[in-house]
Amino acid sequence: MSIIIKSEREIAAMRQASRIVASVLEVLKKELRVGMKTKELDNIAARELERMGAKPSFKGYRGFPANLCVSINDEIVHGIPGERTINEGDIVSLDLGAIYDGFQGDAAISAIMGNGSPQARKLVEVTEGALEAGIDAACNGARLGDISIAIQHYAESRGYSVVREYTGHGIGRQMHEEPKVPNFGRPGEGPELKKGMTLALEPMVNIGDWRTRVGSDGWAVSTADGSLSAHFEHTIAITDSKPEVLTAV
Ligand code: MG
């Protein structure tokens, strides 16, 4: 498989799918409450996607049973919403994909319930900053490794680790297209970034070690050492100048 360059029309379709993702995540952020079960968030995501005429990207993907991933505290990604109750101080990461008019958008946010610990607040802030650093590096003519190292450097220079076993990805008609976009790498390596490439950048940042483990449900990925983790993701398009963030609110 090779990297698929999108036409203006295709990017317009991705912009629509991506805006739906962003607006559903906004609704979820407003509805998030201590005491809520994570399946309630999934129900809201399903309702909002349907209302906007979109389909969930995740439901049924390799058998994933929900519309939304909800990953809490030491969970990094792929948490299945269910009976778990959200507590004061939790880091709640919400990851959502939508399909609209044949194209996909994919984004994630992490939110802290209430004030949270200073450690949790700093982690969330740095993870979002790492995503911004990756986006800033995603300029026409740069290399994929320039994005990866920007994310890695931002997180590691602040004392955190980046998850290595899961990566960002190309996105388009398929949720996962070429290339993989690791959150670690070397400057100047990998394919050149060209106008019309569409990528999902998604730093997953841990307070402790980068290693992960998969839970007993076969989906939820947690930090191996039990340390806190956060996750932010945007779908972007490479342009002639700065990248366009398709999943911007
Ligand atoms: Mg993704």
Side-chain angles (χ1 to χ4, degrees):
M1 228 168 52
S2 55
I3 299 173
I4 301 166
I5 301 290
K6 276 76 175 184
S7 67
E8 291 291 346
R9 194 207 74 75
E10 289 171 321
I11 288 179
M14 289 189 65
R15 195 175 287 126
Q16 287 187 293
S18 296
R19 284 191 179 156
I20 290 170
V21 170
S23 62
V24 177
L25 285 174
E26 277 297 294
V27 171
L28 290 166
K29 214 162 120 183
K30 287 201 189 96
E31 298 281 333
L32 254 179
R33 261 173 204 77
V34 168
M36 185 176 213
K37 285 188 192 326
T38 54
K39 71 177 181 190
E40 294 176 61
L41 293 166
D42 189 55
N43 293 340
I44 295 166
R47 181 192 76 204
E48 291 297 309
L49 288 174
E50 194 180 353
R51 195 172 66 78
M52 294 185 215
K55 294 236 174 321
S57 304
F58 302 167
K59 194 160 192 172
Y61 183 83
R62 295 184 180 168
F64 189 77
N67 303 276
L68 175 75
C69 297
V70 184
S71 307
I72 298 178
N73 295 336
D74 62 319
E75 291 176 344
I76 303 165
V77 286
H78 305 166
I80 300 175
E83 298 298 326
R84 183 166 179 179
T85 299
I86 293 169
N87 294 318
E88 180 75 24
D90 279 351
I91 300 177
V92 181
S93 300
L94 305 174
D95 190 350
L96 183 72
I99 309 168
Y100 187 84
D101 198 15
F103 284 88
Q104 313 247 356
D106 190 2
I109 55 169
S110 293
I112 298 176
M113 303 308 298
N115 287 330
S117 65
Q119 290 85 349
R121 285 203 301 275
K122 179 83 181 171
L123 172 68
V124 167
E125 187 187 301
V126 168
T127 308
E128 191 165 21
L131 174 57
E132 293 303 325
I135 292 168
D136 287 346
C139 293
N140 198 333
R143 299 263 169 185
L144 194 72
D146 298 326
I147 298 177
S148 301
I149 189 66
I151 291 171
Q152 180 181 15
H153 179 260
Y154 192 94
E156 289 185 351
S157 66
R158 287 162 178 81
Y160 300 105
S161 68
V162 288
V163 169
R164 290 164 181 248
E165 292 148 328
Y166 302 85
T167 68
H169 48 93
I171 179 168
R173 285 189 183 277
Q174 305 299 322
M175 178 166 56
H176 293 139
E177 295 184 351
E178 290 294 312
K180 280 198 166 84
V181 187
N183 294 312
F184 63 98
R186 290 172 205 256
E189 277 195 353
E192 191 180 334
L193 303 176
K194 295 202 174 89
K195 183 181 176 182
M197 282 184 189
T198 45
L199 305 171
L201 309 189
E202 49 179 320
M204 293 153 254
V205 176
N206 303 346
I207 285 186
D209 189 82
W210 58 265
R211 288 174 184 81
T212 68
R213 62 180 180 84
V214 176
S216 56
D217 64 9
W219 279 104
V221 178
S222 300
T223 57
D225 63 7
S227 68
L228 293 173
S229 186
H231 179 212
F232 281 86
E233 178 177 20
H234 271 310
T235 296
I236 67 167
I238 307 300
T239 72
D240 282 328
S241 54
K242 286 184 167 192
E244 179 183 349
V245 180
L246 300 176
T247 43
V249 179

